[in-house]
Protein backbone atom coordinates (compact mmCIF):
# COMPACT_ATOMS: atom_id res chain seq x y z
CA UNK A 1 0.00 0.00 0.00
CA UNK A 2 1.00 3.63 -0.35
CA UNK A 3 0.83 6.50 2.09
CA UNK A 4 1.22 10.00 0.70
CA UNK A 5 2.43 12.34 3.44
CA UNK A 6 2.21 16.12 3.10
CA UNK A 7 4.54 18.05 5.40
CA UNK A 8 6.28 21.38 5.84
CA UNK A 9 9.81 21.32 7.17
CA UNK A 10 9.18 23.99 9.83
CA UNK A 11 5.95 22.44 11.12
CA UNK A 12 6.36 21.02 14.66
CA UNK A 13 3.24 18.88 14.27
CA UNK A 14 4.62 17.46 11.01
CA UNK A 15 7.73 16.36 12.85
CA UNK A 16 5.61 14.58 15.45
CA UNK A 17 3.28 13.17 12.82
CA UNK A 18 6.18 11.83 10.79
CA UNK A 19 7.70 10.16 13.85
CA UNK A 20 4.30 8.73 14.84
CA UNK A 21 3.78 7.18 11.41
CA UNK A 22 7.26 5.67 11.37
CA UNK A 23 6.72 4.27 14.87
CA UNK A 24 3.51 2.67 13.63
CA UNK A 25 5.26 1.04 10.68
CA UNK A 26 7.84 -0.43 13.06
CA UNK A 27 5.00 -1.99 15.08
CA UNK A 28 3.49 -3.77 12.08
CA UNK A 29 5.24 -6.98 11.00
CA UNK A 30 6.73 -6.21 7.61
CA UNK A 31 5.25 -2.72 7.73
CA UNK A 32 8.32 -0.97 6.36
CA UNK A 33 8.51 -3.43 3.48
CA UNK A 34 4.82 -3.46 2.61
CA UNK A 35 4.13 0.26 2.86
CA UNK A 36 5.49 2.80 0.38
CA UNK A 37 5.66 6.22 2.04
CA UNK A 38 5.75 9.09 -0.45
CA UNK A 39 6.69 12.53 0.84
CA UNK A 40 5.04 15.66 -0.55
CA UNK A 41 5.86 19.34 -0.10
CA UNK A 42 3.43 21.78 1.50
CA UNK A 43 4.26 25.36 2.43
CA UNK A 44 2.44 26.82 5.40
CA UNK A 45 3.88 30.26 4.61
CA UNK A 46 4.33 30.33 0.82
CA UNK A 47 4.45 34.12 0.68
CA UNK A 48 7.17 34.59 3.26
CA UNK A 49 10.19 36.56 2.06
CA UNK A 50 13.22 34.56 0.86
CA UNK A 51 15.31 35.62 3.87
CA UNK A 52 12.58 34.61 6.30
CA UNK A 53 11.05 36.51 9.21
CA UNK A 54 11.49 36.71 12.97
CA UNK A 55 10.02 33.50 14.39
CA UNK A 56 8.69 35.14 17.54
CA UNK A 57 7.09 38.03 15.68
CA UNK A 58 5.65 35.80 12.98
CA UNK A 59 4.11 33.29 15.38
CA UNK A 60 2.89 35.89 17.84
CA UNK A 61 1.06 37.61 15.01
CA UNK A 62 -0.23 34.34 13.59
CA UNK A 63 -1.51 33.00 16.93
CA UNK A 64 -2.95 36.29 18.11
CA UNK A 65 -0.74 37.35 21.00
CA UNK A 66 2.26 36.56 23.18
CA UNK A 67 0.35 34.41 25.69
CA UNK A 68 -0.95 32.12 22.97
CA UNK A 69 2.51 31.94 21.46
CA UNK A 70 4.11 30.93 24.78
CA UNK A 71 1.36 28.37 25.37
CA UNK A 72 1.99 26.87 21.95
CA UNK A 73 5.71 26.49 22.68
CA UNK A 74 4.84 24.49 25.79
CA UNK A 75 2.56 22.29 23.70
CA UNK A 76 5.39 21.43 21.35
CA UNK A 77 7.57 20.27 24.23
CA UNK A 78 4.80 18.36 26.00
CA UNK A 79 3.44 16.61 22.93
CA UNK A 80 6.90 15.98 21.53
CA UNK A 81 7.85 13.86 24.54
CA UNK A 82 5.17 11.35 23.51
CA UNK A 83 7.19 10.64 20.38
CA UNK A 84 10.67 10.84 21.89
CA UNK A 85 11.27 14.27 20.38
CA UNK A 86 12.93 17.31 21.91
CA UNK A 87 12.24 20.91 20.95
CA UNK A 88 14.73 23.70 21.68
CA UNK A 89 12.42 26.48 20.60
CA UNK A 90 14.49 29.09 22.41
CA UNK A 91 17.11 28.51 19.69
CA UNK A 92 14.65 29.07 16.84
CA UNK A 93 14.95 32.72 15.85
CA UNK A 94 13.77 32.58 12.24
CA UNK A 95 10.75 31.42 10.26
CA UNK A 96 12.43 30.62 6.95
CA UNK A 97 10.95 30.26 3.51
CA UNK A 98 10.89 26.46 3.12
CA UNK A 99 10.99 26.22 -0.67
CA UNK A 100 14.73 25.36 -0.75
CA UNK A 101 14.37 22.63 1.86
CA UNK A 102 11.51 21.08 -0.11
CA UNK A 103 13.61 21.38 -3.24
CA UNK A 104 16.40 19.49 -1.47
CA UNK A 105 14.02 16.70 -0.49
CA UNK A 106 12.73 16.46 -4.07
CA UNK A 107 16.30 16.11 -5.35
CA UNK A 108 17.21 13.42 -2.83
CA UNK A 109 16.98 9.72 -3.76
CA UNK A 110 13.76 8.18 -2.46
CA UNK A 111 15.57 5.74 -0.18
CA UNK A 112 17.35 8.60 1.61
CA UNK A 113 14.44 11.05 1.92
CA UNK A 114 13.24 9.80 5.30
CA UNK A 115 16.67 10.30 6.86
CA UNK A 116 17.04 13.73 5.26
CA UNK A 117 13.64 14.87 6.52
CA UNK A 118 14.56 13.80 10.04
CA UNK A 119 17.86 15.68 9.71
CA UNK A 120 16.02 18.82 8.60
CA UNK A 121 13.59 18.62 11.52
CA UNK A 122 16.42 18.07 14.00
CA UNK A 123 18.47 20.93 12.57
CA UNK A 124 15.60 23.40 12.85
CA UNK A 125 13.84 22.37 16.04
CA UNK A 126 16.80 21.26 18.15
CA UNK A 127 19.64 23.42 16.85
CA UNK A 128 17.82 26.49 15.55
CA UNK A 129 19.53 26.20 12.14
CA UNK A 130 18.16 28.28 9.30
CA UNK A 131 16.97 25.60 6.87
CA UNK A 132 16.16 28.28 4.32
CA UNK A 133 19.87 28.93 3.82
CA UNK A 134 21.66 27.12 1.00
CA UNK A 135 24.92 26.70 2.92
CA UNK A 136 23.13 25.11 5.87
CA UNK A 137 21.12 22.83 3.60
CA UNK A 138 24.29 21.64 1.89
CA UNK A 139 25.77 20.75 5.29
CA UNK A 140 22.63 18.82 6.24
CA UNK A 141 22.62 17.01 2.90
CA UNK A 142 26.23 15.95 3.40
CA UNK A 143 25.24 14.37 6.73
CA UNK A 144 22.68 12.20 4.98
CA UNK A 145 25.25 11.21 2.36
CA UNK A 146 22.81 11.80 -0.48
CA UNK A 147 24.61 14.51 -2.44
CA UNK A 148 27.98 15.82 -3.53
CA UNK A 149 28.29 19.47 -2.49
CA UNK A 150 29.14 21.13 -5.81
CA UNK A 151 26.52 19.15 -7.74
CA UNK A 152 23.86 19.94 -5.16
CA UNK A 153 24.57 23.67 -5.21
CA UNK A 154 24.29 23.60 -9.00
CA UNK A 155 20.98 21.74 -8.93
CA UNK A 156 19.50 24.08 -6.34
CA UNK A 157 20.62 27.19 -8.23
CA UNK A 158 19.13 25.86 -11.46
CA UNK A 159 15.78 25.31 -9.79
CA UNK A 160 15.85 21.56 -10.27
CA UNK A 161 13.12 19.83 -8.29
CA UNK A 162 10.81 22.85 -8.29
CA UNK A 163 8.54 21.15 -10.83
CA UNK A 164 7.93 18.33 -8.35
CA UNK A 165 7.08 20.84 -5.63
CA UNK A 166 4.58 22.50 -7.96
CA UNK A 167 3.06 19.08 -8.66
CA UNK A 168 2.74 18.49 -4.90
CA UNK A 169 1.07 21.85 -4.43
CA UNK A 170 -1.38 21.13 -7.25
CA UNK A 171 -2.12 17.73 -5.72
CA UNK A 172 -2.71 19.31 -2.29
CA UNK A 173 -5.05 21.86 -3.84
CA UNK A 174 -7.06 19.14 -5.58
CA UNK A 175 -7.40 17.34 -2.25
CA UNK A 176 -8.43 20.53 -0.48
CA UNK A 177 -5.53 20.40 1.95
CA UNK A 178 -5.15 23.57 4.00
CA UNK A 179 -3.02 22.25 6.84
CA UNK A 180 -0.40 19.64 7.59
CA UNK A 181 0.47 16.94 8.44
CA UNK A 182 -1.93 15.27 6.03
CA UNK A 183 -1.98 11.62 4.99
CA UNK A 184 -3.59 9.82 2.06
CA UNK A 185 -3.84 6.03 2.23
CA UNK A 186 -3.87 4.19 -1.10
CA UNK A 187 -5.28 7.35 -2.70
CA UNK A 188 -8.63 6.49 -1.10
CA UNK A 189 -8.74 7.59 2.53
CA UNK A 190 -7.30 10.72 4.09
CA UNK A 191 -6.30 11.63 7.62
CA UNK A 192 -5.36 15.08 8.88
CA UNK A 193 -3.47 16.27 11.93
CA UNK A 194 -1.53 14.54 14.68
CA UNK A 195 -2.39 10.92 15.54
CA UNK A 196 -0.89 8.27 17.78
CA UNK A 197 1.09 5.33 16.43
CA UNK A 198 -1.74 3.03 17.53
CA UNK A 199 -4.22 5.02 15.44
CA UNK A 200 -1.97 4.64 12.42
CA UNK A 201 -1.56 0.93 13.05
CA UNK A 202 -5.33 0.43 12.99
CA UNK A 203 -5.75 2.33 9.73
CA UNK A 204 -2.80 0.66 8.00
CA UNK A 205 -3.80 -2.86 9.08
CA UNK A 206 -7.33 -2.26 7.85
CA UNK A 207 -6.07 -1.27 4.42
CA UNK A 208 -3.67 -4.21 4.32
CA UNK A 209 -6.54 -6.59 5.05
CA UNK A 210 -8.57 -5.14 2.20
CA UNK A 211 -5.82 -5.77 -0.35
Amino acid sequence: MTIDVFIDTICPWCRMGTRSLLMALDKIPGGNEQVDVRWHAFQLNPGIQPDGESYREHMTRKLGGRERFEARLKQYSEFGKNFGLHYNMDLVSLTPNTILSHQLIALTPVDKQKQLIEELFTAYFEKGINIGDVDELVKIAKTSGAHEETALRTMLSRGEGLDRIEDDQDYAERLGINGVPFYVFDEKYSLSGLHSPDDFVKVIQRFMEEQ
Side-chain angles (χ1 to χ4, degrees):
M1 68 174 291
T2 61
I3 305 178
D4 292 289
V5 185
F6 291 81
I7 60 169
D8 199 359
T9 50
I10 57 168
C11 168
W13 307 114
C14 292
R15 186 189 189 204
M16 296 179 219
T18 295
R19 175 62 63 85
S20 182
L21 174 61
L22 297 178
M23 290 169 68
L25 292 177
D26 286 338
K27 287 186 173 186
I28 300 172
N32 288 291
E33 290 74 34
Q34 297 183 59
V35 178
D36 180 20
V37 180
R38 303 185 298 203
W39 307 98
H40 298 274
F42 187 93
Q43 282 194 284
L44 290 168
N45 309 295
I48 203 165
Q49 59 185 334
D51 293 336
E53 298 179 8
S54 163
Y55 176 73
R56 177 170 290 274
E57 292 178 7
H58 175 82
M59 290 300 293
T60 299
R61 184 173 63 250
K62 184 175 183 177
L63 295 174
R66 181 179 297 178
E67 289 186 5
R68 291 185 178 180
F69 169 67
E70 296 295 341
R72 183 61 59 85
L73 294 184
K74 291 181 180 179
Q75 281 186 323
Y76 298 154
S77 295
E78 292 170 1
F79 279 76
K81 291 176 183 177
N82 296 324
F83 306 98
L85 297 172
H86 184 62
Y87 287 83
N88 282 328
M89 300 308 294
D90 56 322
L91 298 181
V92 179
S93 61
L94 190 73
T95 297
N97 187 306
T98 58
I99 192 69
L100 280 173
S101 62
H102 285 303
Q103 191 181 349
L104 173 58
I105 295 170
L107 292 171
T108 298
V110 173
D111 64 333
K112 294 185 180 295
Q113 286 181 343
K114 180 180 74 172
Q115 179 184 350
L116 175 65
I117 290 168
E118 291 183 341
E119 293 284 354
L120 288 168
F121 281 142
T122 299
Y124 186 66
F125 291 113
E126 293 191 24
K127 303 174 183 178
I129 291 172
N130 175 13
I131 60 171
D133 181 80
V134 171
D135 292 334
E136 297 294 353
L137 289 175
V138 168
K139 292 177 186 177
I140 294 169
K142 287 175 65 177
T143 301
S144 69
H147 296 280
E148 189 277 323
E149 180 176 344
T150 302
L152 177 58
R153 287 182 182 276
T154 299
M155 289 189 289
L156 290 172
S157 65
R158 288 178 177 172
E160 295 183 31
L162 290 177
D163 55 339
R164 276 171 270 178
I165 296 173
E166 291 176 2
D167 289 343
D168 286 346
Q169 293 172 336
D170 290 342
Y171 186 19
E173 188 173 343
R174 291 197 303 272
L175 293 173
I177 299 174
N178 53 27
V180 285
F182 193 94
Y183 315 86
V184 182
F185 299 83
D186 270 346
E187 301 182 355
K188 298 175 183 177
Y189 175 77
S190 62
L191 196 61
S192 178
L194 182 62
H195 298 271
S196 71
D198 288 342
D199 287 340
F200 280 125
V201 168
K202 292 176 183 177
V203 173
I204 294 169
Q205 287 181 330
R206 189 186 80 185
F207 272 87
M208 284 182 169
E209 291 169 359
E210 293 177 355
Q211 290 183 343

